[in-house]
Amino acid sequence: MSSLFSRTTSFQRELHASDEEFRQIRDYIYELCGIHIADNRKYLVENRLAARLKDLNLKTFGEYYYYLRYDKNRREELNRLFEVITTNETSFYRNPPQLKVFQEVVLKDMLAELKAKGSRRLRIWSAGCSSGEEPYTLGIILHELLRAEIASWDIKITASDISTAVLDAAKSGVYSDYALRTTPPEIIRKYFKQDGKEYHLAENVKKLVRFDQLNLNDKLQMKRVERSQIIFCRNVIIYFDDEMKTRVMSSFYDNLLPGGALLIGHSESLHNISRAFRPEHHKGAIVYRKDS
Ligand SMILES: C[S@@+](CC[C@H](N)C(=O)[O-])C[C@H]1O[C@@H](n2cnc3c(N)ncnc32)[C@H](O)[C@@H]1O
């Protein structure tokens, strides 16, 4: 994903929003998707949206706000808005110590428990999946643990994001070496086919994952996701305020099956957000558990 400043030309830098225009757009973004933009980040809104104004031939941020709210093409523009205001930084095997706990403790125990109950049905939700590196990593981990036995399991990883641009990239399953910067070399050799500068993910991993556009600020959309044993929502709630975090956690709690596990980013915490989950402390990771 390109950085904020590489997307900004000198022409676009000349566009400024008045305080009132900034407030209108900032509040509307929050109303739409729960992303909180602090008062001192007007430059961020100006920089990220300048190209949109230029493409639409609009002169002021006030005109852009009206376009977002009332134009007949507003739906399409909302997708462009989500594309430019979200931060999509991610990689395969992001935060290895947490994934080690996930593979060797959480998933291993869960698969054993399911088998003991005579069930081979597993549902995982990667919420805020960006360009697919996280859900595909979970697919690879499942292959690593189950090996040939995976064929006898009914596994689905639902991967959702608000940005259709990242979801389109995810569906292709084609990555650059940058996406693999935190991935063990033997995993790259085993699950990717290199073609020049492109790395093509193996079909047996791709087929475990279903991508879907979903706004975490929309309770009804959240309710439509099949109930899961595991939810990953890493490096997403850092963009939300406490009220939005609380709403999202309550929907995750409802979605999780009894005994299910929630994993969030290493810089994120549920302190003062939710007491519904029981935190389990492991070396390298906290797992938030729904009691069985
Ligand atoms: C920094 S990425 C995290 C990707 C991945 N989970 C990881 O940890 O590597 C955050 C993602 O959250 C998504 N996001 C932000 N607000 C959202 C919302 N309201 N609903 C759904 N996705 C959202 C963004 O589009 C972005 O792709």
Side-chain angles (χ1 to χ4, degrees):
M1 288 288 131
S2 57
S3 78
L4 166 60
F5 293 102
S6 64
R7 291 197 295 238
T8 311
T9 67
S10 54
F11 163 83
Q12 292 152 13
R13 264 189 230 119
E14 289 161 18
L15 274 173
H16 290 291
S18 68
D19 288 349
E20 173 61 11
E21 287 171 332
F22 165 63
R23 195 193 51 72
Q24 276 184 324
I25 293 181
R26 189 269 306 268
D27 291 354
Y28 192 42
I29 289 172
Y30 180 74
E31 186 185 320
L32 289 166
C33 60
I35 293 180
H36 171 72
I37 301 170
D39 282 341
N40 61 358
R41 305 198 92 191
K42 189 165 96 167
Y43 70 93
L44 189 137
V45 167
E46 288 172 339
N47 279 332
R48 292 200 178 187
L49 296 183
R52 296 308 311 136
L53 268 70
K54 186 173 175 246
D55 282 358
L56 297 167
N57 215 6
L58 302 174
K59 304 252 167 328
T60 67
F61 284 91
E63 285 177 30
Y64 185 63
Y65 172 72
Y66 278 93
Y67 191 99
L68 283 175
R69 278 228 171 242
Y70 307 113
D71 196 88
K72 62 176 183 350
N73 296 321
R74 64 182 288 278
R75 286 269 142 229
E76 206 181 307
E77 187 54 30
L78 288 178
N79 280 332
R80 303 307 301 273
L81 174 73
F82 296 145
E83 183 182 335
V84 295
I85 56 151
T86 52
T87 301
N88 311 113
E89 184 64 28
T90 186
S91 68
F92 280 89
Y93 275 82
R94 186 176 192 175
N95 191 356
Q98 182 190 36
L99 292 175
K100 191 169 186 293
V101 170
F102 172 67
Q103 177 167 343
E104 292 175 6
V105 183
V106 180
L107 192 56
K108 212 170 164 190
D109 290 354
M110 202 166 270
L111 296 175
E113 264 172 46
L114 283 169
K115 268 167 77 172
K117 283 195 294 198
S119 165
R120 290 189 174 222
R121 186 176 191 278
L122 182 69
R123 294 293 178 265
I124 300 180
W125 181 8
S126 164
C129 66
S130 189
S131 30
E133 288 86 334
E134 178 179 277
Y136 285 145
T137 297
L138 303 179
I140 291 173
I141 289 174
L142 279 160
H143 272 281
E144 287 294 292
L145 263 184
L146 287 167
R147 308 214 170 224
E149 204 195 293
I150 200 165
S152 63
W153 281 76
D154 164 18
I155 295 175
K156 181 172 153 193
I157 303 171
T158 298
S160 66
D161 202 282
I162 195 168
S163 164
T164 49
V166 286
L167 292 172
D168 288 345
K171 283 174 202 161
S172 76
V174 179
Y175 293 91
S176 69
D177 55 357
Y178 184 69
L180 295 163
R181 64 196 178 279
T182 49
T183 310
E186 67 276 15
I187 294 288
I188 301 178
R189 277 194 297 275
K190 205 163 157 188
Y191 293 97
F192 292 86
K193 203 176 265 160
Q194 191 175 354
D195 179 9
K197 290 189 164 180
E198 293 182 340
Y199 291 78
H200 295 249
L201 180 65
E203 280 305 320
N204 63 358
V205 177
K206 278 179 80 177
K207 72 177 191 199
L208 296 175
V209 185
R210 290 281 172 277
F211 291 97
D212 208 356
Q213 186 186 24
L214 184 151
N215 182 353
L216 295 172
N217 199 27
D218 187 327
K219 234 181 160 31
L220 284 178
Q221 285 182 17
M222 305 261 280
K223 268 197 171 19
R224 285 207 295 266
V225 179
E226 253 182 279
R227 293 194 67 189
S228 329
Q229 281 102 347
I230 294 156
I231 299 178
F232 269 71
C233 183
R234 302 188 302 167
N235 310 298
V236 178
I237 63 170
I238 29 166
Y239 303 103
F240 302 156
D241 67 355
D242 284 358
E243 212 182 296
M244 170 73 178
K245 285 180 192 166
T246 305
R247 283 201 297 275
V248 171
M249 288 308 140
S250 145
S251 294
F252 285 162
Y253 188 84
D254 293 344
N255 176 278
L256 273 181
L257 290 161
L262 166 70
L263 289 106
I264 61 177
H266 72 101
S267 64
E268 297 165 326
S269 153
L270 294 192
H271 186 66
N272 288 339
I273 302 299
S274 170
R275 297 172 75 159
F277 300 93
R278 185 168 43 79
E280 266 175 28
H281 295 264
H282 299 270
K283 191 167 173 276
I286 301 177
V287 175
Y288 292 93
R289 193 68 75 167
K290 175 166 175 168
D291 282 328
S292 25

